[in-house]
Amino acid sequence: MVESKHQWKAWLYLAPAIVLLLVFTVWPIINTVRLAFLEDYNALAATWGQTFKVGIGNFVKVVSYSNFTTCLRNTLLLTVLTVPISTLLALLIAVALNSIKPLQRFLQTIFFLPYVTNSIAIGMVFAAMFNIIGLRPSGLEADSWGIINNVIKFFGGDPINWINAQSSYAANMAVMTVYIVWNALPFKILVLLGGLQGINKQYYEAARVDGTPRRRVFTRITVPLLSPMLAYVIITGFIGGFKEYTSIVGIFGEKMGPVGAPYRLNTMVGYIYQVLPETNYGVASAAALILFAIILVVTLINMQVSKKRVHF
């Protein structure tokens, strides 16, 4: 414990970090709440002393927005699809990596590379992989079908219009699911692998002596002892899923949809960025608070479920 006469030194060392947190974290949160309840807020008018009515008009505008249900549906669907798939794949890959001794560190580095790569850059690469060049109006001919369709054709399948004009909503969501899952794997693998390496080896040795099958070892030893890490990656996965935006922009551009169907894949965060250039700060703030409330409810539900499933 720091002696009282030296506490001022501790506060002095913490002062720069506290000031930065207050300016760039605490104040923006407070200001967002304030703007959300100021109807028809205009920053330029506010500088000249104009006052604005306090109410819930901004929230009404968000909910009554014609594509609000689309934004909410896309956000929920992407989250529900990607979080379970990415968590299961990360668990299986982490278990496999933990059992491989040669080249383990090299493989860990390979799997971690997407985490340190810019999301927009990765999205552009995925867009190029799924893109079709020179697609004819009939949809049966093209100058180049792209890497993914060439692989499909190699195995005898028919090419699919993934992200180009007149592509289906299901095809668009399939591309986004693949990309988001792939992009989410590195962090989850790292966390789960660290948890696996912290499990006492005596449990596995006892199971080996008893002749326990590997599948039962996985379900009865590995998963229960890894449950705190699983709960963590699931909760953070849901939070990240509800904030999905850059991955869609990376593949479909700022219109967040294929040509001819703009904003088809718009999300809640995408809607916030969409109204900001229109100086609708109050509406954007209200949308941010609605998204915060949704994330908070989902997180509380996850934490409540985790209490019964997590073994510390």
Side-chain angles (χ1 to χ4, degrees), residues 121-131 148 163 175 178-179 182 251:
I122 298 175
M124 294 173 65
V125 172
F126 267 75
M129 292 170 59
F130 287 93
N131 187 38
I148 300 300
I163 61 175
V175 173
V178 171
Y179 169 64
W182 184 82
I251 293 180

Side-chain angles (χ1 to χ4, degrees), residues 225-301:
L225 293 178
L226 204 60
S227 56
M229 289 74 182
L230 285 171
Y232 172 75
V233 297
I234 289 173
I235 291 174
T236 55
F238 271 100
I239 294 173
F242 279 105
K243 297 190 297 181
E244 204 60 60
Y245 171 71
T246 55
S247 57
I248 303 173
V249 173
I251 293 180
F252 291 97
E254 61 180 7
K255 292 298 184 181
M256 303 188 74
V259 177
Y263 300 108
R264 173 190 281 177
L265 298 177
N266 200 4
T267 60
M268 291 296 295
V269 175
Y271 171 69
I272 294 171
Y273 279 100
Q274 180 184 341
V275 298
L276 275 176
E278 303 170 2
T279 65
N280 290 329
Y281 300 121
V283 177
S285 299
L289 288 185
I290 291 174
L291 180 60
F292 169 76
I294 295 172
I295 294 175
L296 179 62
V297 171
V298 173
T299 302
L300 291 175
I301 293 173

Side-chain angles (χ1 to χ4, degrees), residues 94-163:
V95 171
L97 281 176
N98 192 49
S99 61
I100 297 175
K101 299 307 177 184
L103 301 177
Q104 186 183 72
R105 294 187 180 276
F106 174 75
L107 292 174
Q108 289 178 22
T109 304
I110 294 298
F111 278 104
F112 193 67
L113 282 178
Y115 188 71
V116 295
T117 307
N118 184 274
S119 298
I120 299 295
I122 298 175
M124 294 173 65
V125 172
F126 267 75
M129 292 170 59
F130 287 93
N131 187 38
I132 301 174
I133 300 175
L135 182 65
R136 307 291 188 271
S138 62
L140 301 176
E141 297 180 356
D143 295 335
S144 174
W145 287 105
I147 298 174
I148 300 300
N149 278 326
N150 285 333
V151 173
I152 294 175
K153 291 174 66 178
F154 177 79
F155 287 100
D158 296 325
I160 300 172
N161 185 358
W162 295 103
I163 61 175

Side-chain angles (χ1 to χ4, degrees), residues 28-47 52 57-59 61-62 271-289:
I29 293 174
I30 296 173
N31 196 42
T32 299
V33 176
R34 181 180 70 89
L35 294 179
F37 291 95
L38 294 179
E39 298 183 4
D40 300 320
Y41 175 82
N42 184 285
L44 183 61
T47 58
F52 303 93
N58 291 325
F59 295 92
K61 289 181 180 179
V62 173
Y271 171 69
I272 294 171
Y273 279 100
Q274 180 184 341
V275 298
L276 275 176
E278 303 170 2
T279 65
N280 290 329
Y281 300 121
V283 177
S285 299
L289 288 185

